[in-house]
Amino acid sequence: MAADQPPWWTRAVVYQVYPRSFMDSDGDGIGDLGGVLLRLDHLADLGVDVVWLSPVYPSPQADNGYDISDYQDIDPLFGSLEQLDELITAMHARGMRLVMDLVVNHTSDQHPWFAEARSSKDSPKRDWYWWRPPRAGMAAGVPGAEPTNWQSFFSGSVWELDEASGEYYLHLFDRRQPDLNWENPHVRQAVYAMMRWWLDRGVDGFRMDVINMISKDVGEDGHLHDGPPLPGSALGDGSASYLCGPRIHEFLQEMHLEVFAGRPDAVLTVGEMPGVTVEQARLFTDPGRGEVDMVFQFEHVGLDHGTSKWDIHPLRLRDLKASFGRWQAGLAETGWNSLYWDNHDQPRAVSRFGDDSPAYRRDSATCLATLLHLHRGTPYVYQGEEIGMANFPFAALEEFRDVESLNHHVQAVSAGDDPAHVLDALRTMSRDNARTPVQWDTTPNAGFTTGTPWIGVNPDCGEWNVAAQRDDETSVLAHHRRLIALRRDDDVVALGDFTMLLPDHDDVYAFTRRLGGEALLVVCNLSRTAYRLAELLPEAPAAELVLGNLPDDDPAELRPWEARVLRLP
Ligand code: TEU
């Protein structure tokens, strides 16, 4: 990428709003667009350039809006199209851009397209989805008669039997989220038209949900292939048939031409891509290929997974460094990284990668933020991360709301797992950890709603909230503000080369960033052990401190969870 004309998003920071949990303006206990409008000053004060808004479209809410029944409207739960227009205008007036969530691997089963497809085998829209007869020689509905053995992301088979026609339809996620058939050009054109409609309305880009799953490996006769069996299960892993399938680059290039080509470069496209490799990511983000600006990769959020996300393993810092280091190197010459710890699908970063005990919560949250924002790539901050929100102390199954968590519980317990053990895994890994309401102040429900919140408010909200941190220069919030400003002001942060240092150290994460004659050294201690800095990095103690997360009193010692950004002479 030429350093003289870097795209605007190389110095941008994106903030994700999960509207249902951000701010409720009408007292129904569910966050909404009115709430986002009320809290825009918080985002402006933080200094973010872009807001990615999770889905607000009409939806039965089986997966909190990732099951869309109308792509071109707003669910009354969240507000109206007029309010969305108002939000676009208000954001643009503050110099911020709005990126919408694009969920087109699947629709809701309540979408009129699916209703029509389901109505008859002869429906002109039948082929907009994946319909298949039972496995050869087997009767519909018999266990094992599913057209393939693939396991759904949300437990069970990916196939749901439609009794009326005796055929199954494919759903990689919940049965209420049928997969669209991207092989059908009418599907693709309908999606592109919808995207153009949103851009014409003023939105500034899309975060594309599981976009590397839209191309399935289908034989000429329509055959889909079984995957390798999963240990201890009758189901198999179908991912080789739908992750970065045969036509994925073709589809994204077509989308780029049909939707984005000829428009100003002001738009941002980021593809969410579970399982994507760095080699594939380089192709997806090579500007010369016209696909997407950047992708969300999943490697670092899988390092504590065993056979599944519920089989939790301790995370080793070396593995994290090796992974990030490979991504930094792999996209150094061509392509671009997105950087994240948190989103609405992940447990809270301070609880997972940091240390959320009272003594270290603030320090580890600011340390993790420093680490992330000083990498090369576009940082994404998830709502609440900027104040160090932590996992929720879930005590009972009744406190969970997420379809993935609830489905897993049913499936695991019926397979004979110890319910207490299943609950432990949910407590650590459930997506609901990220979905508790943003903690604004010390009024009831942390200022999120005057009604009954749809999911519990974290009981730590009295101490951990936006109001308590706003004017405190030592807060997690103030530290985020400084990091965001640094990327905007410092070319080295935005564009400098990345070199990993101390790759085998168990506790310390260090690297340099260089551009022209300038160099930054970043040193982060991800542990409770103090280190003598000179013994690790002799050049560090004498270097000028640009930004640190602890009081600047002993340059020779790297304290527990200390982070320093230093300018090398
Ligand atoms: O998530 C895609 C995905 O594969 C995972 O992150 C998934 O959410 C799960 O945690 C796997 O264990 C996207 C959305 O971000 C997510 O909220 C949706 O539920 C999903 O797609 C379906 O639209």
Side-chain angles (χ1 to χ4, degrees), residues 18 52 63 66-67 103 106 153-154 173 177 207 209-210 213 272 274 298 309-310 343-346 403-404 431 435:
Y18 191 67
W52 148 30
D63 187 18
Y66 283 89
D67 49 320
V103 188
H106 44 268
F153 284 96
F154 290 166
F173 293 89
Q177 295 168 295
R207 172 270 186 190
D209 193 67
V210 293
M213 303 189 192
E272 190 212 22
F298 279 65
K309 70 184 272 183
W310 310 112
N343 59 44
H344 65 293
D345 294 333
Q346 302 294 334
V403 59
E404 181 191 43
R431 308 194 294 182
R435 300 176 178 187

mmCIF file of all heavy atoms in Angstrom, residues 18 52 63 66-67 103 106 153-154 173 177 207 209-210 213 272 274 298 309-310 343-346 403-404 431 435, ligand 1:
data_model
loop_
_atom_site.group_PDB
_atom_site.id
_atom_site.type_symbol
_atom_site.label_atom_id
_atom_site.label_comp_id
_atom_site.label_asym_id
_atom_site.label_seq_id
_atom_site.Cartn_x
_atom_site.Cartn_y
_atom_site.Cartn_z
ATOM 1 N N TYR A 18 -24.176 -2.562 19.568
ATOM 2 C CA TYR A 18 -25.135 -3.679 19.556
ATOM 3 C C TYR A 18 -26.412 -3.074 20.138
ATOM 4 O O TYR A 18 -26.556 -2.953 21.358
ATOM 5 C CB TYR A 18 -24.585 -4.803 20.424
ATOM 6 C CG TYR A 18 -25.317 -6.117 20.309
ATOM 7 C CD1 TYR A 18 -25.288 -6.847 19.120
ATOM 8 C CD2 TYR A 18 -26.018 -6.644 21.388
ATOM 9 C CE1 TYR A 18 -25.941 -8.070 19.019
ATOM 10 C CE2 TYR A 18 -26.669 -7.869 21.296
ATOM 11 C CZ TYR A 18 -26.621 -8.572 20.102
ATOM 12 O OH TYR A 18 -27.269 -9.784 20.002
ATOM 13 N N TRP A 52 -20.212 0.924 13.618
ATOM 14 C CA TRP A 52 -20.847 -0.259 13.000
ATOM 15 C C TRP A 52 -22.033 -0.608 13.882
ATOM 16 O O TRP A 52 -21.887 -0.848 15.063
ATOM 17 C CB TRP A 52 -19.837 -1.403 12.884
ATOM 18 C CG TRP A 52 -20.410 -2.792 13.003
ATOM 19 C CD1 TRP A 52 -21.670 -3.229 12.651
ATOM 20 C CD2 TRP A 52 -19.749 -3.948 13.544
ATOM 21 N NE1 TRP A 52 -21.820 -4.573 12.937
ATOM 22 C CE2 TRP A 52 -20.666 -5.030 13.480
ATOM 23 C CE3 TRP A 52 -18.466 -4.164 14.064
ATOM 24 C CZ2 TRP A 52 -20.329 -6.310 13.926
ATOM 25 C CZ3 TRP A 52 -18.140 -5.451 14.502
ATOM 26 C CH2 TRP A 52 -19.067 -6.507 14.426
ATOM 27 N N ASP A 63 -32.280 -14.665 16.616
ATOM 28 C CA ASP A 63 -30.847 -14.508 16.867
ATOM 29 C C ASP A 63 -30.541 -13.003 17.014
ATOM 30 O O ASP A 63 -29.605 -12.487 16.419
ATOM 31 C CB ASP A 63 -30.056 -15.150 15.713
ATOM 32 C CG ASP A 63 -28.548 -15.180 15.962
ATOM 33 O OD1 ASP A 63 -28.131 -15.034 17.130
ATOM 34 O OD2 ASP A 63 -27.792 -15.344 14.976
ATOM 35 N N TYR A 66 -30.022 -11.072 13.734
ATOM 36 C CA TYR A 66 -29.246 -11.709 12.664
ATOM 37 C C TYR A 66 -30.120 -12.696 11.883
ATOM 38 O O TYR A 66 -29.628 -13.557 11.158
ATOM 39 C CB TYR A 66 -27.968 -12.360 13.220
ATOM 40 C CG TYR A 66 -26.908 -11.296 13.515
ATOM 41 C CD1 TYR A 66 -26.854 -10.667 14.749
ATOM 42 C CD2 TYR A 66 -26.025 -10.888 12.528
ATOM 43 C CE1 TYR A 66 -25.917 -9.671 15.002
ATOM 44 C CE2 TYR A 66 -25.090 -9.883 12.771
ATOM 45 C CZ TYR A 66 -25.041 -9.278 14.005
ATOM 46 O OH TYR A 66 -24.120 -8.287 14.239
ATOM 47 N N ASP A 67 -31.423 -12.558 12.066
ATOM 48 C CA ASP A 67 -32.432 -13.312 11.320
ATOM 49 C C ASP A 67 -33.395 -12.254 10.780
ATOM 50 O O ASP A 67 -34.286 -11.799 11.480
ATOM 51 C CB ASP A 67 -33.148 -14.310 12.245
ATOM 52 C CG ASP A 67 -33.648 -13.691 13.562
ATOM 53 O OD1 ASP A 67 -32.933 -12.858 14.167
ATOM 54 O OD2 ASP A 67 -34.778 -14.026 13.971
ATOM 55 N N VAL A 103 -26.498 -9.026 6.501
ATOM 56 C CA VAL A 103 -26.630 -10.440 6.860
ATOM 57 C C VAL A 103 -27.308 -11.151 5.693
ATOM 58 O O VAL A 103 -28.538 -11.221 5.620
ATOM 59 C CB VAL A 103 -27.442 -10.613 8.162
ATOM 60 C CG1 VAL A 103 -27.399 -12.058 8.628
ATOM 61 C CG2 VAL A 103 -26.926 -9.687 9.249
ATOM 62 N N HIS A 106 -27.966 -15.783 5.070
ATOM 63 C CA HIS A 106 -29.269 -16.368 5.388
ATOM 64 C C HIS A 106 -30.274 -15.250 5.635
ATOM 65 O O HIS A 106 -29.901 -14.104 5.855
ATOM 66 C CB HIS A 106 -29.166 -17.254 6.641
ATOM 67 C CG HIS A 106 -28.352 -16.614 7.743
ATOM 68 N ND1 HIS A 106 -26.997 -16.838 7.872
ATOM 69 C CD2 HIS A 106 -28.669 -15.755 8.736
ATOM 70 C CE1 HIS A 106 -26.523 -16.137 8.898
ATOM 71 N NE2 HIS A 106 -27.527 -15.463 9.441
ATOM 72 N N PHE A 153 -23.782 -24.468 13.437
ATOM 73 C CA PHE A 153 -23.071 -23.652 14.435
ATOM 74 C C PHE A 153 -23.858 -23.579 15.733
ATOM 75 O O PHE A 153 -23.282 -23.351 16.785
ATOM 76 C CB PHE A 153 -22.857 -22.225 13.915
ATOM 77 C CG PHE A 153 -21.760 -22.125 12.892
ATOM 78 C CD1 PHE A 153 -22.046 -22.161 11.536
ATOM 79 C CD2 PHE A 153 -20.444 -22.013 13.293
ATOM 80 C CE1 PHE A 153 -21.029 -22.078 10.599
ATOM 81 C CE2 PHE A 153 -19.419 -21.927 12.360
ATOM 82 C CZ PHE A 153 -19.708 -21.960 11.008
ATOM 83 N N PHE A 154 -25.160 -23.724 15.627
ATOM 84 C CA PHE A 154 -25.997 -23.584 16.815
ATOM 85 C C PHE A 154 -26.566 -24.933 17.268
ATOM 86 O O PHE A 154 -27.700 -25.019 17.723
ATOM 87 C CB PHE A 154 -27.135 -22.586 16.552
ATOM 88 C CG PHE A 154 -26.663 -21.145 16.412
ATOM 89 C CD1 PHE A 154 -27.519 -20.177 15.899
ATOM 90 C CD2 PHE A 154 -25.383 -20.765 16.788
ATOM 91 C CE1 PHE A 154 -27.102 -18.844 15.776
ATOM 92 C CE2 PHE A 154 -24.948 -19.440 16.666
ATOM 93 C CZ PHE A 154 -25.811 -18.482 16.158
ATOM 94 N N PHE A 173 -26.894 -21.867 10.631
ATOM 95 C CA PHE A 173 -27.121 -21.379 11.992
ATOM 96 C C PHE A 173 -28.445 -21.961 12.496
ATOM 97 O O PHE A 173 -28.736 -23.123 12.251
ATOM 98 C CB PHE A 173 -27.024 -19.843 12.017
ATOM 99 C CG PHE A 173 -25.592 -19.410 11.714
ATOM 100 C CD1 PHE A 173 -25.163 -19.196 10.399
ATOM 101 C CD2 PHE A 173 -24.663 -19.297 12.731
ATOM 102 C CE1 PHE A 173 -23.828 -18.859 10.127
ATOM 103 C CE2 PHE A 173 -23.334 -18.969 12.469
ATOM 104 C CZ PHE A 173 -22.923 -18.740 11.158
ATOM 105 N N GLN A 177 -33.041 -19.605 10.483
ATOM 106 C CA GLN A 177 -32.138 -18.808 9.635
ATOM 107 C C GLN A 177 -31.734 -19.591 8.378
ATOM 108 O O GLN A 177 -30.583 -20.006 8.240
ATOM 109 C CB GLN A 177 -30.878 -18.421 10.441
ATOM 110 C CG GLN A 177 -31.169 -17.486 11.614
ATOM 111 C CD GLN A 177 -29.985 -17.345 12.567
ATOM 112 O OE1 GLN A 177 -29.590 -18.305 13.210
ATOM 113 N NE2 GLN A 177 -29.413 -16.159 12.656
ATOM 114 N N ARG A 207 -20.610 -4.124 7.301
ATOM 115 C CA ARG A 207 -19.921 -5.238 7.949
ATOM 116 C C ARG A 207 -20.698 -6.470 7.498
ATOM 117 O O ARG A 207 -21.911 -6.569 7.701
ATOM 118 C CB ARG A 207 -19.966 -5.046 9.459
ATOM 119 C CG ARG A 207 -19.444 -6.235 10.287
ATOM 120 C CD ARG A 207 -20.547 -7.211 10.614
ATOM 121 N NE ARG A 207 -20.104 -8.274 11.504
ATOM 122 C CZ ARG A 207 -20.816 -9.346 11.797
ATOM 123 N NH1 ARG A 207 -22.019 -9.512 11.265
ATOM 124 N NH2 ARG A 207 -20.376 -10.245 12.618
ATOM 125 N N ASP A 209 -21.789 -10.116 7.495
ATOM 126 C CA ASP A 209 -21.911 -11.280 8.363
ATOM 127 C C ASP A 209 -21.545 -12.574 7.637
ATOM 128 O O ASP A 209 -22.063 -12.826 6.535
ATOM 129 C CB ASP A 209 -23.378 -11.356 8.834
ATOM 130 C CG ASP A 209 -23.593 -12.312 9.987
ATOM 131 O OD1 ASP A 209 -23.100 -12.029 11.085
ATOM 132 O OD2 ASP A 209 -24.258 -13.345 9.777
ATOM 133 N N VAL A 210 -20.705 -13.387 8.259
ATOM 134 C CA VAL A 210 -20.270 -14.698 7.722
ATOM 135 C C VAL A 210 -20.231 -14.729 6.184
ATOM 136 O O VAL A 210 -20.696 -15.684 5.555
ATOM 137 C CB VAL A 210 -21.099 -15.874 8.280
ATOM 138 C CG1 VAL A 210 -20.832 -16.051 9.757
ATOM 139 C CG2 VAL A 210 -22.591 -15.748 8.053
ATOM 140 N N MET A 213 -19.157 -17.620 3.867
ATOM 141 C CA MET A 213 -19.939 -18.867 3.816
ATOM 142 C C MET A 213 -20.958 -18.876 2.675
ATOM 143 O O MET A 213 -21.728 -19.825 2.538
ATOM 144 C CB MET A 213 -20.673 -19.088 5.149
ATOM 145 C CG MET A 213 -19.723 -19.127 6.343
ATOM 146 S SD MET A 213 -20.563 -19.644 7.853
ATOM 147 C CE MET A 213 -19.315 -19.249 9.081
ATOM 148 N N GLU A 272 -16.870 -10.465 7.732
ATOM 149 C CA GLU A 272 -16.666 -11.378 8.859
ATOM 150 C C GLU A 272 -16.422 -12.769 8.299
ATOM 151 O O GLU A 272 -17.252 -13.292 7.551
ATOM 152 C CB GLU A 272 -17.902 -11.386 9.777
ATOM 153 C CG GLU A 272 -17.627 -12.129 11.078
ATOM 154 C CD GLU A 272 -18.835 -12.838 11.653
ATOM 155 O OE1 GLU A 272 -19.789 -13.140 10.902
ATOM 156 O OE2 GLU A 272 -18.834 -13.109 12.863
ATOM 157 N N PRO A 274 -15.220 -16.398 9.639
ATOM 158 C CA PRO A 274 -14.727 -17.470 10.505
ATOM 159 C C PRO A 274 -13.864 -18.451 9.707
ATOM 160 O O PRO A 274 -14.189 -18.790 8.570
ATOM 161 C CB PRO A 274 -16.013 -18.155 10.985
ATOM 162 C CG PRO A 274 -17.063 -17.104 10.893
ATOM 163 C CD PRO A 274 -16.684 -16.272 9.701
ATOM 164 N N PHE A 298 -10.566 -15.110 12.815
ATOM 165 C CA PHE A 298 -10.995 -15.710 14.080
ATOM 166 C C PHE A 298 -9.902 -16.463 14.825
ATOM 167 O O PHE A 298 -10.173 -17.092 15.844
ATOM 168 C CB PHE A 298 -12.178 -16.666 13.831
ATOM 169 C CG PHE A 298 -13.499 -15.961 13.721
ATOM 170 C CD1 PHE A 298 -13.746 -15.085 12.677
ATOM 171 C CD2 PHE A 298 -14.490 -16.150 14.675
ATOM 172 C CE1 PHE A 298 -14.958 -14.408 12.577
ATOM 173 C CE2 PHE A 298 -15.710 -15.484 14.595
ATOM 174 C CZ PHE A 298 -15.939 -14.613 13.548
ATOM 175 N N LYS A 309 -15.933 -24.362 21.170
ATOM 176 C CA LYS A 309 -15.743 -23.189 22.018
ATOM 177 C C LYS A 309 -16.092 -23.461 23.478
ATOM 178 O O LYS A 309 -15.682 -22.737 24.369
ATOM 179 C CB LYS A 309 -16.532 -21.990 21.481
ATOM 180 C CG LYS A 309 -18.026 -22.093 21.605
ATOM 181 C CD LYS A 309 -18.713 -20.892 20.945
ATOM 182 C CE LYS A 309 -18.867 -19.741 21.915
ATOM 183 N NZ LYS A 309 -19.605 -18.614 21.286
ATOM 184 N N TRP A 310 -16.865 -24.538 23.716
ATOM 185 C CA TRP A 310 -17.294 -24.867 25.084
ATOM 186 C C TRP A 310 -16.260 -25.728 25.811
ATOM 187 O O TRP A 310 -16.394 -26.001 27.001
ATOM 188 C CB TRP A 310 -18.648 -25.588 25.048
ATOM 189 C CG TRP A 310 -19.654 -24.858 24.216
ATOM 190 C CD1 TRP A 310 -20.179 -25.264 23.022
ATOM 191 C CD2 TRP A 310 -20.244 -23.577 24.494
ATOM 192 N NE1 TRP A 310 -21.055 -24.315 22.543
ATOM 193 C CE2 TRP A 310 -21.111 -23.273 23.428
ATOM 194 C CE3 TRP A 310 -20.117 -22.663 25.546
ATOM 195 C CZ2 TRP A 310 -21.849 -22.098 23.373
ATOM 196 C CZ3 TRP A 310 -20.851 -21.486 25.491
ATOM 197 C CH2 TRP A 310 -21.704 -21.221 24.420
ATOM 198 N N ASN A 343 -16.457 -8.455 20.541
ATOM 199 C CA ASN A 343 -17.640 -8.066 19.772
ATOM 200 C C ASN A 343 -18.825 -8.733 20.463
ATOM 201 O O ASN A 343 -18.667 -9.274 21.560
ATOM 202 C CB ASN A 343 -17.501 -8.422 18.274
ATOM 203 C CG ASN A 343 -17.285 -9.902 18.055
ATOM 204 O OD1 ASN A 343 -17.961 -10.729 18.672
ATOM 205 N ND2 ASN A 343 -16.346 -10.253 17.190
ATOM 206 N N HIS A 344 -19.971 -8.689 19.825
ATOM 207 C CA HIS A 344 -21.178 -9.221 20.471
ATOM 208 C C HIS A 344 -21.213 -10.740 20.544
ATOM 209 O O HIS A 344 -22.164 -11.305 21.087
ATOM 210 C CB HIS A 344 -22.403 -8.702 19.712
ATOM 211 C CG HIS A 344 -22.456 -9.233 18.302
ATOM 212 N ND1 HIS A 344 -21.525 -8.888 17.337
ATOM 213 C CD2 HIS A 344 -23.289 -10.110 17.702
ATOM 214 C CE1 HIS A 344 -21.801 -9.517 16.209
ATOM 215 N NE2 HIS A 344 -22.875 -10.274 16.398
ATOM 216 N N ASP A 345 -20.216 -11.421 19.959
ATOM 217 C CA ASP A 345 -20.168 -12.889 19.977
ATOM 218 C C ASP A 345 -19.106 -13.438 20.929
ATOM 219 O O ASP A 345 -18.973 -14.656 21.057
ATOM 220 C CB ASP A 345 -19.837 -13.431 18.579
ATOM 221 C CG ASP A 345 -20.924 -13.160 17.563
ATOM 222 O OD1 ASP A 345 -22.096 -13.034 17.954
ATOM 223 O OD2 ASP A 345 -20.586 -13.078 16.361
ATOM 224 N N GLN A 346 -18.336 -12.574 21.539
ATOM 225 C CA GLN A 346 -17.191 -13.024 22.332
ATOM 226 C C GLN A 346 -17.365 -12.629 23.794
ATOM 227 O O GLN A 346 -17.957 -11.597 24.090
ATOM 228 C CB GLN A 346 -15.898 -12.377 21.783
ATOM 229 C CG GLN A 346 -15.616 -12.685 20.317
ATOM 230 C CD GLN A 346 -15.316 -14.151 20.058
ATOM 231 O OE1 GLN A 346 -14.848 -14.860 20.940
ATOM 232 N NE2 GLN A 346 -15.612 -14.615 18.840
ATOM 233 N N VAL A 403 -29.490 -17.761 21.770
ATOM 234 C CA VAL A 403 -29.913 -18.992 21.114
ATOM 235 C C VAL A 403 -28.763 -20.006 21.037
ATOM 236 O O VAL A 403 -28.966 -21.209 21.235
ATOM 237 C CB VAL A 403 -30.500 -18.686 19.707
ATOM 238 C CG1 VAL A 403 -29.499 -17.976 18.800
ATOM 239 C CG2 VAL A 403 -31.021 -19.933 19.016
ATOM 240 N N GLU A 404 -27.549 -19.534 20.790
ATOM 241 C CA GLU A 404 -26.410 -20.472 20.724
ATOM 242 C C GLU A 404 -26.192 -21.148 22.074
ATOM 243 O O GLU A 404 -26.016 -22.364 22.160
ATOM 244 C CB GLU A 404 -25.129 -19.734 20.305
ATOM 245 C CG GLU A 404 -23.941 -20.675 20.201
ATOM 246 C CD GLU A 404 -22.600 -19.958 20.040
ATOM 247 O OE1 GLU A 404 -22.346 -18.958 20.733
ATOM 248 O OE2 GLU A 404 -21.799 -20.413 19.227
ATOM 249 N N ARG A 431 -22.017 -15.839 24.586
ATOM 250 C CA ARG A 431 -22.086 -14.536 23.927
ATOM 251 C C ARG A 431 -22.850 -13.526 24.785
ATOM 252 O O ARG A 431 -22.700 -12.321 24.607
ATOM 253 C CB ARG A 431 -22.761 -14.683 22.558
ATOM 254 C CG ARG A 431 -22.135 -15.771 21.689
ATOM 255 C CD ARG A 431 -22.557 -15.688 20.256
ATOM 256 N NE ARG A 431 -23.975 -15.947 20.032
ATOM 257 C CZ ARG A 431 -24.545 -15.963 18.845
ATOM 258 N NH1 ARG A 431 -23.815 -15.746 17.762
ATOM 259 N NH2 ARG A 431 -25.824 -16.200 18.697
ATOM 260 N N ARG A 435 -23.398 -9.057 25.948
ATOM 261 C CA ARG A 435 -24.688 -8.477 25.570
ATOM 262 C C ARG A 435 -25.439 -7.852 26.737
ATOM 263 O O ARG A 435 -26.573 -7.407 26.572
ATOM 264 C CB ARG A 435 -25.535 -9.554 24.879
ATOM 265 C CG ARG A 435 -24.836 -10.066 23.627
ATOM 266 C CD ARG A 435 -25.572 -11.200 22.932
ATOM 267 N NE ARG A 435 -24.853 -11.598 21.719
ATOM 268 C CZ ARG A 435 -25.293 -12.465 20.824
ATOM 269 N NH1 ARG A 435 -26.478 -13.030 21.014
ATOM 270 N NH2 ARG A 435 -24.579 -12.757 19.753
HETATM 271 O O1 TEU B 1 -21.358 -14.890 13.725
HETATM 272 C C1 TEU B 1 -20.662 -15.866 13.035
HETATM 273 C C2 TEU B 1 -20.004 -16.970 13.771
HETATM 274 O O2 TEU B 1 -19.656 -17.945 13.151
HETATM 275 C C3 TEU B 1 -19.726 -17.011 15.217
HETATM 276 O O3 TEU B 1 -19.106 -15.918 15.730
HETATM 277 C C4 TEU B 1 -20.979 -17.412 15.930
HETATM 278 O O4 TEU B 1 -21.651 -16.288 16.394
HETATM 279 C C5 TEU B 1 -20.752 -18.312 17.090
HETATM 280 O O5 TEU B 1 -20.287 -17.587 18.176
HETATM 281 C C6 TEU B 1 -19.925 -19.503 16.830
HETATM 282 O O6 TEU B 1 -19.691 -20.181 18.018
HETATM 283 C C7 TEU B 1 -22.219 -14.054 13.012
HETATM 284 C C8 TEU B 1 -22.834 -13.018 13.935
HETATM 285 O O7 TEU B 1 -21.822 -12.166 14.403
HETATM 286 C C9 TEU B 1 -23.574 -13.717 15.018
HETATM 287 O O8 TEU B 1 -24.065 -12.844 15.992
HETATM 288 C C10 TEU B 1 -24.704 -14.474 14.371
HETATM 289 O O9 TEU B 1 -25.362 -15.249 15.332
HETATM 290 C C11 TEU B 1 -24.216 -15.379 13.246
HETATM 291 O O10 TEU B 1 -23.263 -14.766 12.394
HETATM 292 C C12 TEU B 1 -25.377 -15.765 12.365
HETATM 293 O O11 TEU B 1 -25.848 -14.646 11.675
#
